[in-house]
Amino acid sequence: PAYNIASVFRITGELDREALQCSLNDIVRRHESLRTFFRLVNGDVAGIISGPAPVEIAETDLTDRAGEKAGKEAESIISDLVNRPFKLDEYPLYRNSLIRVSSGEHYLVLVVHHIIIDMESHDILSRELSLLYNNSRNKDGNGISLPVTRYSDFSIVQKKLIEENRYASLVEYWKKALAGQSGYLNLPLDHPRPPVDTEHGDMLRMDIPDEVVSGMEALSRTLNVNLFTLMLAAYVVILNRFSGQSDITVGVPLTNRREDEWKNTMGCFVNIVPIAVDVAGDREFRDVLGDVRRAMLGAHRNQELPFRMLMQEIKQKRDPAYNPLFQAGFTLEHPMDLRLQGLEVEPLKIRR
């Protein structure tokens, strides 16, 4: 379930069930990644692309429950949908569900496994679903005119680059960028580190006050950086203070879609890159921010090297108790922006 990318919406108004169905059908037909599942073929994992077929939308009617009871039952159903794991060898690797709590109120739940989409794909999904639904409501038979490149073509391009050894300059950049970095983050822990790294963990939620967010946005404008870079620099400083070490490496996901041909294609393009910063000495925050900005710019220009190849080239001594190259990550995500004509659509926080 850690790799389930989920969005939940409370929809108020008269939902057009047929328009929703047709829109999802068109999107799955358009994007082959959504029709992909995985099997072992001659000992290797291979993606199998299924043909287009009507999308299933599981529906649950809770209109006969009292208000509070319906809400609790809906919450339980949503939790199961969001946290239930997928079997990668079974199609589909997504699930859609519609929960009706009254004639004018529904919950729409969209869950997709990360292996076939990334967060950029999430934005594509929201744009296309909004456009197709609204066109259907307006009796506009036009679909989406923007061309879409097949995700499988991206895999072919990557394979060709590897075979032709065209990653040499990228390898050179990353070796230089990570020179002198230990690759380990020694945070003070309240329990002994297990001998083998596990996926066990928990989530701690906190709300940042609006005035703090406004202050950060104003500061980022003053310092001529985006909000992500400013927050990443602050995170680096926090890790430095807690760990007491000067070499800090943070894993950051980049879209890996610099070529225009991939801009409208759903799939898992994302590449995790290590952002390495040395915060030794008595430095001001502005200096650390400058180093983080330069590291991010360099990472964007050299983001195409697959993480697996990067690990092979760096040749860091592997310790099963640690994730390789970095043990802290940072990302800034926004909720899926779904705009459906005639409806009030509210994205909801998801409990894991």
Side-chain angles (χ1 to χ4, degrees):
Y3 290 98
N4 289 0
I5 297 181
S7 291
V8 181
F9 305 94
R10 179 187 288 114
I11 299 177
T12 305
E14 187 176 343
L15 177 67
D16 189 330
R17 170 67 176 74
E18 183 179 353
L20 179 64
Q21 177 74 65
C22 292
S23 301
L24 291 173
N25 286 347
D26 285 349
I27 290 170
V28 171
R29 175 190 53 78
R30 178 174 160 82
H31 295 279
E32 68 176 22
S33 65
L34 296 177
R35 295 183 274 113
T36 302
F37 61 104
F38 299 85
R39 294 274 171 85
L40 278 175
V41 178
N42 298 325
D44 292 324
V45 177
I48 311 297
I49 301 173
S50 175
V55 173
E56 178 185 354
I57 303 177
E59 296 191 53
T60 305
D61 191 341
L62 302 179
T63 55
D64 60 343
R65 276 60 155 190
E68 186 175 341
K69 186 177 181 181
K72 288 184 177 180
E73 191 166 341
E75 186 175 327
S76 176
I77 294 170
I78 292 170
S79 178
D80 173 68
L81 291 167
V82 168
N83 295 297
R84 191 194 317 155
F86 289 96
K87 294 182 178 180
L88 298 184
D89 60 350
E90 294 182 4
Y91 174 79
L93 295 180
Y94 61 81
R95 63 177 68 103
N96 311 298
S97 187
L98 199 59
I99 305 169
R100 186 184 185 196
V101 293
S102 71
S103 59
E105 183 178 356
H106 295 78
Y107 292 102
L108 175 63
V109 185
L110 307 174
V111 188
V112 189
H113 195 284
H114 201 346
I115 198 170
I116 58 172
I117 70 165
D118 52 21
M119 295 312 296
E120 190 77 8
S121 302
H122 224 214
D123 291 342
I124 296 171
L125 174 60
S126 65
R127 290 197 303 268
E128 294 194 357
L129 182 53
S130 298
L131 177 62
L132 289 167
Y133 179 91
N134 295 337
N135 283 352
S136 179
R137 289 285 293 166
N138 293 327
K139 308 302 180 185
D140 183 346
N142 295 327
I144 297 175
S145 59
L146 290 174
V148 58
T149 307
R150 298 187 310 165
Y151 178 71
S152 55
D153 291 344
F154 176 72
S155 302
I156 294 171
V157 169
Q158 279 203 317
K159 184 178 180 181
K160 187 175 181 181
L161 289 174
I162 294 172
E163 291 173 345
E164 296 177 356
N165 194 29
R166 290 164 60 186
Y167 280 131
S169 62
L170 301 180
V171 170
E172 182 180 353
Y173 168 82
W174 285 109
K175 283 184 174 180
K176 184 177 180 181
L178 297 176
Q181 294 290 313
S182 68
Y184 297 104
L185 182 62
N186 297 308
L187 293 173
L189 305 175
D190 53 356
H191 295 283
R193 180 181 290 275
V196 177
D197 188 25
T198 71
E199 296 181 359
H200 301 155
D202 205 347
M203 182 178 292
L204 177 64
R205 295 184 179 275
M206 61 174 290
D207 292 323
I208 301 177
D210 291 343
E211 59 269 23
V212 175
V213 175
S214 298
M216 289 191 295
E217 291 173 338
L219 182 59
S220 67
R221 290 192 294 269
T222 300
L223 298 177
N224 197 29
V225 297
N226 58 36
L227 183 61
F228 179 91
T229 303
L230 180 76
M231 295 180 70
L232 176 57
Y235 186 53
V236 166
V237 171
I238 291 172
L239 293 176
N240 163 252
R241 297 286 174 84
F242 275 100
S243 67
Q245 64 187 79
S246 59
D247 63 308
I248 303 295
T249 304
V250 179
V252 172
L254 296 184
T255 61
N256 203 14
R257 296 167 182 259
R258 291 207 295 165
E259 302 295 332
D260 288 341
E261 61 184 309
W262 311 119
K263 298 294 186 184
N264 301 309
T265 303
M266 288 193 203
C268 190
F269 292 82
V270 68
N271 195 19
I272 309 296
V273 299
I275 302 298
V277 182
D278 192 332
V279 291
D282 187 15
R283 309 184 66 200
E284 294 186 358
F285 177 73
R286 189 185 296 264
D287 298 326
V288 176
L289 178 63
D291 286 350
V292 169
R293 182 176 183 273
R294 283 186 287 273
M296 283 296 299
L297 289 173
H300 275 287
R301 297 189 188 105
N302 297 275
Q303 63 182 285
E304 288 86 0
L305 185 66
F307 185 73
R308 173 179 55 84
M309 290 188 64
L310 177 59
M311 288 194 301
Q312 293 172 351
E313 294 292 339
I314 296 300
K315 294 182 174 62
Q316 177 191 12
K317 183 179 179 181
R318 294 294 301 271
D319 185 332
Y322 291 83
N323 186 72
L325 298 184
F326 56 84
Q327 294 83 52
F330 186 84
T331 186
L332 187 60
E333 298 177 358
H334 54 269
M336 187 172 163
D337 185 19
L338 196 58
R339 303 188 180 194
L340 305 181
Q341 182 177 301
L343 300 171
E344 181 180 333
V345 182
E346 176 190 2
L348 302 180
K349 292 181 179 180
I350 298 172
R351 296 185 180 276
R352 295 284 189 177

